[in-house]
Amino acid sequence: MKQIWIARDYSKCSGCRRCEIACSLKHEGEIWPEASRIRIFMLIPGIEVPHLCVQCPDYPCVEACPTNALSINKETSAVEVDKEKCIACGKCIDACPGKIPHMHPTKKHIIICNLCNGDPECVKVCQEGRWNALWTAPRPSGSLLSIKLYARTPQEITKDLARNIYGEEFEKEVK
Ligand code: SF4
Ligand code: SF4
């Protein structure tokens, strides 16, 4: 299996949230956006940010986990969560430059995108909707920076987009 990456183009995201629905259906068996591994943030109107794990080459979340609840799937390069071992301490969230792992809304364990074992549902529905905001690509290799540019908080990403689209005044609107 090729190591894949979910590429994203923020400018093409319509905010339809089909990806959140597909992800929660796949992983939770019901439509439950709060439990989706991908989340769409709209911090200022018109700027939608699909937010999900980027599979950092140095995996700071895995390094930070005190109970070895996180591991790297060698085939897909995704971070896998062992729910039984997770003690919900949040250290992986602190370690993640994009604060991407998040707590399951009702259970005491973290959730992180696992690439649906190499066939991501979020990409399928985004492509079906012809938005093309998400697509699968070979995982970038080599430079840490090429991937880590995407491992930022929704606030940081939104500020950059707002500055580019609307100018510096709008950047200040992002809290
Ligand atoms: S983006 Fe965050 S959750 Fe994903 S590998 Fe990097 S540190 Fe871990
Ligand atoms: S790849 Fe799967 S787990 Fe990851 S965001 Fe997409 S739907 Fe969710």
Side-chain angles (χ1 to χ4, degrees):
M1 184 190 292
K2 267 200 206 137
Q3 292 201 336
I4 62 157
W5 198 69
I6 297 177
R8 56 216 83 177
D9 181 342
Y10 303 118
S11 70
K12 292 189 175 156
C13 176
S14 69
C16 70
R17 287 160 167 77
R18 282 165 58 110
C19 54
E20 292 182 341
I21 291 171
C23 181
S24 56
L25 272 172
K26 164 97 181 178
H27 295 283
E28 305 289 335
E30 58 187 304
I31 296 174
W32 194 2
E34 293 81 5
S36 171
R37 278 69 175 160
I38 182 169
R39 290 181 296 168
I40 306 298
F41 287 85
M42 189 198 68
L43 302 180
I44 62 175
I47 298 184
E48 313 277 352
V49 176
H51 202 232
L52 69 155
C53 177
V54 305
Q55 301 134 247
C56 299
D58 54 346
Y59 296 99
C61 54
V62 176
E63 289 294 313
C65 179
T67 63
N68 296 323
L70 302 183
S71 60
I72 303 152
N73 184 315
K74 295 277 186 294
E75 288 196 0
T76 63
S77 78
V79 178
E80 303 282 359
V81 180
D82 183 334
K83 298 175 196 166
E84 305 305 319
K85 287 189 183 168
C86 178
I87 54 169
C89 66
K91 291 200 171 153
C92 56
I93 303 174
D94 295 340
C96 175
K99 308 293 170 233
I100 290 163
H102 61 112
M103 215 57 81
H104 190 284
T106 58
K107 299 173 193 159
K108 289 203 178 312
H109 65 79
I110 211 78
I111 47 181
I112 302 176
C113 166
N114 77 343
L115 299 171
C116 299
N117 271 329
D119 189 19
E121 296 294 327
C122 55
V123 170
K124 285 187 219 166
V125 294
C126 189
Q127 292 289 323
E128 278 166 17
R130 308 228 173 149
W131 301 114
N132 204 28
L134 304 174
W135 66 99
T136 48
R139 183 170 185 249
S141 57
S143 166
L144 272 172
L145 283 177
S146 65
I147 289 185
K148 283 231 165 178
L149 278 177
Y150 292 87
R152 293 185 303 148
T153 64
Q155 287 80 4
E156 289 168 327
I157 295 169
T158 304
K159 273 187 185 175
D160 276 1
L161 295 169
R163 192 184 311 120
N164 290 341
I165 299 170
Y166 302 121
E168 284 176 13
E169 281 309 301
F170 275 86
E171 180 192 341
K172 294 178 195 141
E173 298 299 317
V174 184
K175 304 286 184 270

